[in-house]
Amino acid sequence: MTASASRASEGMGEHQVTQQAAWTALDEMGDQLADLYRDFHQHPELSLQEHRTAAWVAEFLRPLGYEVTEKVGGTGVVAVLRRGDGPVVMLRADLDALPVQEKTGLAYASTVKGTDINGNDVPVMHACGHDVHITCLLGAAALLAGPAATWSGTLMLVFQPAEELARGAQAMVDDGLFERFANPDVILGQHVAPLPAGVIAYGTGAFMAANDTANVVLYGRGGHGSRPESTIDPVLMAAHVVTRLQGIIPREVPAAEAAVLTVGRLQAGTKDNIIPDQAELGINIRSYSPAVREVVRRAVERVIHAESAASAAPRHPEIEWSCTTPATVNDPAATEVTVAALAEHFGADRVAPMPPVTASEDVGVFGQACGAPTVFWFLGGLHPQEFAAAVADGLQDSLPTNHSPHFAPVIDPTLTVGVKALVVAATAWLGRTQTDATGRPGP
Ligand code: ZN
Ligand code: ZN
């Protein structure tokens, strides 16, 4: 260790030496991160079509010394950096955008059009802020690969496709993510959220909901609207199903547990005097515990079959479950380690615990597949003054949130805080080596 590095490290852990050097490198990156972010924002790609984004990610990481593999689970990218003995730390970001027409009015707003998986022409926008996640992980990747980094272990960066379809994480797992690259000791990730920029919020235990969708077809027998006695009316059947489904949560889920059931799609018929042959429903369920999830799913099936039978339907209903993700569960012990490091760096007042949210993520699929604890946090992305003003006026709920065409995270300080959070969290886990701030091995 050099004399100056020795002095610099007196009274602080080696990981702080890494961090000090990283923050200098972050300053030196200047506008590079913001430019990168604006470019990703202007070039959003729909789920499973993240070709340009993945290529850019790979191109950015290769010169840094990462062993980069593309096309993992479709358009996923894995980058590994091995530096001696120590834990394997996985950092995760997601690549995809949404079929949303951007209305932020930003100079770098997206005007991109795309074709969705059903063949529809749609506008495309990074309305969930995954461009923030990509940029922050690339920034952290650069800092952690820098010559001054003193950590030891293996850094595994995972850029997954198709989070919005809740398919990308599973696709990467199925493509041998943990067998081909490494089995992580911890999985870390973040999501930009409608909180003030500069703030980090975290949950412990199951804090993001499991997400289940059921697409249902109810069969009746169509005919003339003036002669319902000659038909089996699927519209009435669907109406009973919708009403009866809303009895499941209050009557079958214990009061101390939580779940949400929404019928977001109900389609039947073409004309007022025609009774149609069938009706379709789209049902979405959010839950936290596997037991409650099972209770609600079973009850949904039971109600649909029972109402169909009650109407003397000529055919059994079809129920197709899709888009399922498990609850995102932050391992309590791993969360404590990570949050302590974040609080030490940012100050405890900027790292806040939060209650569970009903939003869902497929990040939990990774931990479920490899057995590693997951720690996932929310990164504030809204202008702090605008956020404070909205709260003061009681208008917090009217602020643009993820998936809104108006969602526009502020670049500063969202990106630097997101980069730092990943570096701080990763170095809290990675082992330390006898390497000084100049990159030369120490005594
Ligand atoms: Zn989203
Ligand atoms: Zn998202």
Side-chain angles (χ1 to χ4, degrees), residues 1 19 22 26 42 88 100 102 112 121 136 148 177 193 202 208 236 249 312 319 331 347 363 399 427 430 441:
M1 197 177 260
Q19 288 175 17
L26 183 58
Q42 275 183 309
V88 179
V100 172
E102 179 157 357
V112 170
D121 292 333
C136 290
L177 176 66
Y202 68 95
M208 291 182 83
L236 182 63
I249 310 285
I319 305 171
D331 177 84
V363 66
L399 289 166
T427 49
L430 289 162

Side-chain angles (χ1 to χ4, degrees), residues 94 128-130 133 163-164 191 361 402-403:
D94 37 13
C128 202
H130 296 183
H133 313 161
E163 190 285 324
E164 295 293 352
H191 205 301
E361 252 287 341
N402 306 67
H403 292 208

Side-chain angles (χ1 to χ4, degrees), residues 22-166:
W23 308 154
T24 306
L26 183 58
D27 287 342
E28 286 167 0
M29 287 179 92
D31 293 333
Q32 194 192 349
L33 277 182
D35 290 344
L36 202 57
Y37 170 72
R38 283 188 284 258
D39 188 83
F40 284 129
H41 192 82
Q42 275 183 309
H43 298 92
E45 293 175 299
L46 292 169
S47 307
L48 305 173
Q49 303 176 29
E50 308 92 335
H51 304 286
R52 179 187 184 273
T53 312
W56 273 64
V57 164
E59 198 176 312
F60 184 94
L61 293 171
R62 276 204 186 94
L64 298 173
Y66 286 86
E67 194 182 295
V68 179
T69 309
E70 294 177 73
K71 298 187 170 54
V72 180
T75 44
V77 180
V78 180
V80 179
L81 191 59
R82 295 176 208 275
R83 280 193 170 174
D85 295 337
V88 179
V89 175
M90 172 174 150
L91 303 180
R92 176 269 202 180
D94 37 13
L95 300 169
D96 55 334
L98 285 161
V100 172
Q101 178 71 61
E102 179 157 357
K103 294 178 184 166
T104 59
L106 292 166
Y108 52 93
S110 163
T111 54
V112 170
K113 301 269 183 282
T115 306
D116 70 12
I117 47 172
N118 300 317
N120 303 313
D121 292 333
V122 290
V124 189
M125 173 192 175
H126 264 299
C128 202
H130 296 183
D131 45 356
V132 173
H133 313 161
I134 304 164
T135 310
C136 290
L137 186 48
L138 291 180
L143 305 186
L144 288 164
T150 58
W151 55 270
S152 163
T154 299
L155 194 55
M156 179 180 178
L157 314 180
V158 173
F159 296 81
Q160 75 154 84
E163 190 285 324
E164 295 293 352
L165 301 180

Side-chain angles (χ1 to χ4, degrees), residues 10-24:
E10 267 172 38
M12 60 169 82
E14 290 254 7
H15 64 291
Q16 286 169 305
V17 178
T18 293
Q19 288 175 17
Q20 290 297 336
W23 308 154
T24 306

